[in-house]
Amino acid sequence: MNLTAEEKQFIREHAADDTNKLLLGARKYPQLDVPFLVDQILSRRQIREKLPSWYANEDLVFPAKIAAEQCSSERTALYKQRLVSSSDTLCDLTGGLGIDSYFFSRKVSQLTYIERFPVYCEAARHNFQVLGADNITVRNENSVDIVSDLPEVDVFYLDPARRGEGNKRVFALSDCEPDLPSLLPRLLQKAPRVIAKLSPMADLQQTESLLPGTVAIHVLSVRNECKELLFDIRRETTVSTPLIYCVDFTAAGTERSFTFTGEEERNVPLALAAQVGTYLYEPNASILKAGAFKSVARQYGVEKLHVSSHLYTSNSLVGGFPGRTFQIENILPFSNKVCKSINQEIPQANITVRNFPLSVDELRKKTKIQEGGDVYLFATTLSDGEKVLVVCQKISNI
């Protein structure tokens, strides 16, 4: 599966070209497998931002474009390294492109990669050799069929496939492959620990109820977009309510995290703001996904604008808030009169809606405010039910 110098040159020269035209013009390159090389180009486009170290290596090959679409990012794969120790042995039951296997292998002592598709295994063997990952054993098998023959390891890791018939996306655990709730008891008989990467669309509470033994849930977002849910499940545990780690990797490369438990969230009193203060706070996507609405308010001393708005305020600036921070410049009532004239003063703004009857597109149409600029406009509802437009300037690096 080694790429020849000519193939690598083709990929390099046509990296930005229209791939449909390349396929139509395949006759120009009789000595090359153009469909295969087009897949390499498309795959490399997929990983350019999320896997920079793999993108920089011209010797790596990709078995299918969809594998590059679905694989973990470098940031999230590196985060998963923290969940294991150097003495651990690990078995990846759903190897895929091998991103998680590779990054886990840089931390654990031994790793077994299992994948049912031969072409993926062939690519994985090649890539692991290119990367010098000599502590990985590749097995071309369906892990569900060989549970009794799985290796004795400290940790099983799996990322159930979230596509059903016709390549349609599915989110219910029972619809994914393998069916983790059914498989889990058998896995925990073989290993004391299972780490599962699940869809960011999954409901945390419902999923936790389906996966007994969960001791921790990691909600990972990259550039404020929720990407992964990681469930850490143990054979033996005294934990009654799992710790929930909300982690966001910012565009600047920094990491902000917030930790709480579902029990804490349920027992924290709701702090509602009687009025909007000087500053506005919007939690990052991980916190919103995890539902840490009251816990984050208590920890940072801010107040919620409304029980359902998920925006917060304070009179004094709070540093280190896990999300975006804004200084409020004006608060306008949401009315037809205001909407008709607001674009004269604010012709351009970044609009967010929270607990509001209109979508962003509907509000833009109504106000005729164009997208972009330095002004941030939050359309939301206050604790007394009043609907308002909050005009802000973003505060960075606090």
Side-chain angles (χ1 to χ4, degrees):
M1 190 169 269
N2 289 331
L3 292 170
T4 66
E6 189 178 8
E7 288 173 328
K8 286 188 278 190
Q9 183 178 351
F10 181 92
I11 293 169
R12 198 182 307 121
E13 290 180 351
H14 299 283
D17 289 2
D18 184 327
T19 52
N20 290 322
K21 289 183 179 179
L22 286 177
L23 290 170
L24 290 172
R27 292 180 182 177
K28 299 177 184 177
Y29 314 97
Q31 75 283 12
L32 296 175
D33 183 350
V34 174
F36 169 76
L37 296 176
V38 163
D39 272 353
Q40 301 310 298
I41 291 169
L42 292 173
S43 296
R44 292 180 64 79
R45 288 178 187 174
Q46 288 287 334
I47 69 163
R48 181 171 185 170
E49 297 295 329
K50 65 178 180 177
L51 276 170
S53 67
W54 280 45
Y55 179 81
N57 192 325
E58 292 187 337
D59 292 318
L60 299 178
V61 295
F62 304 91
K65 176 175 171 283
I66 194 170
E69 288 177 0
Q70 297 178 339
C71 72
S72 295
S73 69
E74 199 157 317
R75 283 179 173 177
T76 59
L78 284 167
Y79 180 86
K80 286 191 274 282
Q81 280 185 348
R82 307 180 199 175
L83 307 184
V84 296
S85 68
S86 58
S87 62
D88 280 338
T89 54
L90 186 145
C91 177
D92 186 343
L93 299 172
T94 52
L97 187 56
I99 304 302
D100 286 322
S101 286
Y102 168 71
F103 282 95
F104 272 130
S105 78
R106 301 300 81 192
K107 179 74 173 286
V108 302
S109 60
Q110 289 291 326
L111 188 141
T112 303
Y113 162 107
I114 299 178
E115 171 55 52
R116 59 180 175 162
F117 294 119
V119 67
Y120 280 56
C121 291
E122 185 182 358
R125 287 191 184 96
H126 168 82
N127 291 338
F128 296 153
Q129 183 179 22
V130 167
L131 295 165
D134 55 6
N135 62 336
I136 302 177
T137 300
V138 174
R139 291 174 59 174
N140 178 205
E141 295 173 283
N142 188 334
S143 56
V144 176
D145 297 336
I146 60 164
V147 173
S148 60
D149 295 325
L150 288 173
E152 297 288 339
V153 293
D154 298 301
V155 185
F156 282 125
Y157 172 78
L158 71 162
D159 176 9
R162 298 188 286 273
R163 290 184 185 268
E165 294 183 7
N167 212 27
K168 184 179 180 181
R169 281 188 177 272
V170 296
F171 303 107
L173 269 184
S174 58
D175 293 332
C176 296
E177 190 176 350
D179 180 348
L180 179 56
S182 299
L183 188 62
L184 184 60
R186 298 169 67 193
L187 294 179
L188 289 175
Q189 288 177 352
K190 298 279 293 183
R193 186 181 182 198
V194 173
I195 299 174
K197 171 187 168 183
L198 304 179
S199 166
M201 300 297 292
D203 180 87
L204 264 65
Q205 288 187 334
Q206 182 184 33
T207 304
E208 181 192 338
S209 70
L210 295 172
L211 302 176
T214 298
V215 299
I217 302 170
H218 302 258
V219 185
L220 308 184
S221 58
V222 178
R223 297 183 180 182
N224 208 26
E225 180 181 351
C226 193
K227 292 292 188 180
E228 296 182 15
L229 303 181
L230 302 174
F231 279 71
D232 189 348
I233 309 157
R234 309 292 176 107
R235 178 196 295 161
E236 298 178 4
T237 176
T238 57
V239 173
S240 58
T241 180
L243 275 173
I244 303 174
Y245 299 86
C246 306
V247 182
D248 181 62
F249 301 98
T250 69
T254 59
E255 175 185 328
R256 284 196 170 173
S257 61
F258 179 81
T259 306
F260 75 109
T261 69
E263 185 177 2
E264 289 172 355
E265 177 67 17
R266 289 188 290 273
N267 294 332
V268 171
L270 176 63
L272 283 177
Q275 59 184 15
V276 183
T278 307
Y279 300 97
L280 186 78
Y281 307 89
E282 181 189 36
N284 64 45
S286 293
I287 289 174
L288 294 174
K289 173 62 185 180
F293 305 127
K294 295 185 291 182
S295 301
V296 74
R298 181 182 67 172
Q299 182 161 326
Y300 287 91
V302 294
E303 295 179 319
K304 218 164 186 278
L305 295 188
H306 184 280
V307 64
S308 301
S309 291
H310 309 326
L311 293 170
Y312 302 80
T313 190
S314 70
N315 286 316
S316 299
L317 181 61
V318 174
F321 185 84
R324 300 194 298 175
T325 302
F326 303 86
Q327 183 160 1
I328 297 171
E329 296 187 334
N330 201 1
I331 302 169
L332 303 171
F334 176 65
S335 65
N336 287 331
K337 181 180 179 181
V338 169
C339 288
K340 286 180 180 179
S341 61
I342 190 173
N343 71 325
Q344 296 176 18
E345 292 186 19
I346 308 175
Q348 191 178 37
N350 305 279
I351 297 179
T352 299
V353 298
R354 296 272 184 220
N355 188 26
F356 197 73
L358 301 183
S359 68
V360 171
D361 288 342
E362 289 170 336
L363 188 57
R364 284 198 187 282
K365 186 176 180 180
K366 191 175 182 68
T367 60
K368 294 182 173 55
I369 294 176
Q370 300 299 308
E371 185 176 358
D374 297 326
V375 175
Y376 289 78
L377 186 68
F378 286 85
T380 190
T381 303
L382 304 182
S383 59
D384 61 1
E386 182 185 6
K387 291 171 176 53
V388 295
L389 305 176
V390 185
V391 184
C392 308
Q393 288 287 333
K394 188 178 179 182
I395 300 176
S396 302
N397 301 322
I398 62 167

